[in-house]
């Protein structure tokens, strides 16, 4: 089984793929061996992932899986259900609002019928990749009352391609917001979080990797968590959910 993570870029030829596969560690237990691929196009990534074989890949993508459906517009019943204050989060997806209020901000997602423009172009690239991988099935779990729930066992029956968010992954694994990822200390914290989960890079070590590669590696760990039933999902399934490889979310990440 290949657990695939993709970091999306607005540059067509710069989509970053990382895969993880299980290997028995010398000291006992299981480690996750990372394979880093040269950046490529959406078509190249989709072809590579499909090449792993039917039923042999689970994918997590660092990009929105679909447009905003205005489920949190002013006056929407869901706002009261989630306890959202008036005038806030109205132009967000449910998953984005639930993370944003915990100190995990995300980029705004265009609404249904709106084409990503300008800086939003990378979101459009993400839409293209989800469409290219549609044969694997977009992960849509059964709805949950509080819009946050464990993925549970046999989660792959709901789909093998999911959305994730590396910034929230690192915050969740560390229990706090790390330093900015383009600083040495920020990189060290993120690498430590990946190593803590048994991720190994036999080809030079994680310190040789770019920020995009580390984000894709975190996404691959989210794919692993989905397959193993170890994580949670956040959001409204009809609009799109974000999968995170943690048992629960804190009220706030500072």
């Amino acid at each position: 089984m290949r657990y695939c993570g993709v970091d999306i870029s607005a540059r067509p030829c710069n989509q970053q793929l990382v895969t993880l596969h299980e290997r028995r560690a010398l000291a006992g237990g299981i480690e996750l061996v990372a394979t880093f691929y040269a950046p490529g196009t959406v078509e190249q990534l989709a072809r590579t992932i499909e090449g792993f074989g039917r039923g042999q890949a689970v994918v997590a993508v660092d990009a929105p899986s679909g447009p905003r459906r205005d489920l949190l517009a002013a006056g929407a019943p869901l706002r009261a259900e989630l306890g959202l204050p008036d005038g806030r989060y109205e132009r967000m997806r449910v998953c984005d609002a639930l993370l944003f209020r915990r100190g995990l901000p995300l980029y705004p997602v265009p609404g249904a019928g709106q084409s990503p423009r300008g800086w939003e172009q990378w979101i459009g690239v993400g839409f293209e990749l989800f469409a290219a991988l549609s044969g694997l099935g977009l992960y849509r779990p059964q709805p949950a009352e509080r819009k946050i729930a464990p993925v549970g066992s046999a989660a792959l029956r709901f789909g093998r391609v999911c959305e994730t968010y590396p910034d929230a992954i690192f915050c969740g694994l560390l229990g706090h917001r790390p330093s900015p990822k383009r600083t040495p200390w920020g990189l060290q914290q993120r690498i430590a979080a990946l190593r803590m989960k048994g991720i190994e890079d036999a080809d030079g070590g994680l310190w040789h990797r770019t920020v995009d590669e580390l984000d894709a590696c975190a996404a691959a760990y989210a794919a692993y968590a989905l397959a193993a039933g170890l994580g949670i999902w956040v959001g409204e399934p009809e609009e799109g959910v974000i999968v995170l490889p943690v048992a629960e979310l804190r009220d706030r990440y500072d």
Side-chain angles (χ1 to χ4, degrees):
M1 182 74 72
R2 292 279 181 166
Y3 309 103
C4 310
V6 180
D7 183 70
I8 293 294
S9 169
R11 295 168 54 194
C13 296
N14 198 43
Q15 316 314 310
Q16 180 64 59
L17 171 65
V18 174
T19 67
L20 301 176
H21 66 272
E22 292 183 326
R23 180 176 70 186
R24 188 167 300 280
L26 294 177
I30 297 295
E31 62 185 11
L32 297 170
V33 181
T35 301
F36 294 81
Y37 292 75
T41 64
V42 164
E43 293 76 15
Q44 289 171 329
L45 262 65
R47 188 163 57 247
T48 298
I49 292 169
E50 291 169 353
F52 294 139
R54 186 175 181 84
Q56 295 302 306
V58 183
V59 188
V61 182
D62 176 19
S65 57
R68 186 185 74 249
R69 300 190 180 275
D70 291 325
L71 301 180
L72 300 179
L78 188 55
R79 294 186 59 83
E81 181 181 332
L82 297 177
L84 299 179
D86 293 341
R88 298 195 64 189
Y89 311 114
E90 293 180 356
R91 296 178 60 82
M92 290 187 181
R93 297 182 302 165
V94 176
C95 56
D96 300 339
L98 292 175
L99 294 179
F100 199 103
R101 71 193 304 192
R102 288 172 165 81
L104 301 171
L106 299 92
Y107 291 100
V109 178
Q114 298 176 341
S115 298
R117 295 177 296 180
W119 66 265
E120 298 174 338
Q121 289 180 358
W122 71 273
I123 295 178
V125 176
F127 290 169
E128 292 176 15
L129 181 60
F130 278 105
L133 297 175
S134 60
L136 297 178
L138 177 63
Y139 176 67
R140 291 192 185 278
Q142 295 178 338
E145 182 177 354
R146 298 187 61 82
K147 312 304 179 188
I148 300 178
V151 298
S153 59
L156 297 185
R157 71 186 187 276
F158 297 118
R160 305 178 75 89
V161 182
C162 69
E163 175 183 347
T164 193
Y165 180 30
D167 188 54
I169 292 174
F170 288 120
C171 289
L173 294 179
L174 294 168
H176 61 86
R177 172 165 294 285
S179 299
K181 60 185 179 181
R182 299 190 185 279
T183 64
W185 178 229
L187 284 174
Q188 183 173 335
Q189 290 175 297
R190 286 163 174 80
I191 290 171
L194 296 174
R195 294 291 302 276
M196 177 177 62
K197 292 302 178 180
I199 295 175
E200 294 291 336
D201 176 13
D203 188 17
L206 294 174
W207 268 109
H208 292 79
R209 300 303 174 182
T210 66
V211 170
D212 292 343
E213 288 175 320
L214 293 179
D215 280 351
C217 191
Y221 185 66
Y224 173 77
L226 178 66
L230 301 176
I232 60 173
W233 59 263
V234 181
E236 174 55 57
E238 71 175 83
E239 183 181 47
V241 301
I242 292 175
V243 172
L244 299 173
V246 297
E248 61 182 4
L249 286 175
R250 296 190 174 187
D251 292 337
R252 185 78 184 174
Y253 290 91
D254 296 315

